[in-house]
Amino acid sequence: MFRFGKRKPRSKVGKLIDQHGYTQEEFGSASGISRNTIRRVCSDPKYVPSAGVLKKIMKAVRSIDAGAKADDYFNL
């Protein structure tokens, strides 16, 4: 069904990778996180990952934004 003007919600991480031209697959490869988790990280603004997943995500985020902090992207 076509919905004019409607977009899927994006998290701060999702917006970051969109702005820099990365795909979820590329980000997943860079972080070593499963496709399902990456999908959730990028599309669910309320998602809070476990400590181990957060560490992997932030390592990949910092390859794009060197000064990034976890609090910038997640409500911890």
Side-chain angles (χ1 to χ4, degrees):
M1 179 175 177
F2 179 76
R3 295 181 185 187
F4 183 75
K6 296 279 184 176
R7 295 187 72 197
K8 291 182 180 180
R10 295 297 274 174
S11 68
K12 292 177 184 178
V13 174
K15 290 175 185 177
L16 175 75
I17 67 170
D18 292 346
Q19 289 172 351
H20 291 276
Y22 293 100
T23 65
Q24 288 182 193
E25 289 89 16
E26 291 168 330
F27 190 76
S29 293
S31 64
I33 296 171
S34 74
R35 183 172 38 176
N36 286 336
T37 302
I38 288 298
R39 180 193 53 77
R40 192 161 181 206
V41 166
C42 292
S43 64
D44 184 354
K46 295 180 182 183
Y47 175 69
V48 178
S50 68
V53 171
L54 178 63
K55 187 175 180 178
K56 290 178 180 183
I57 292 168
M58 291 311 299
K59 183 176 180 182
V61 166
R62 288 186 187 111
S63 71
I64 300 169
D65 178 6
K69 297 177 186 166
D71 290 344
D72 295 339
Y73 292 92
F74 298 98
N75 296 323
L76 303 175

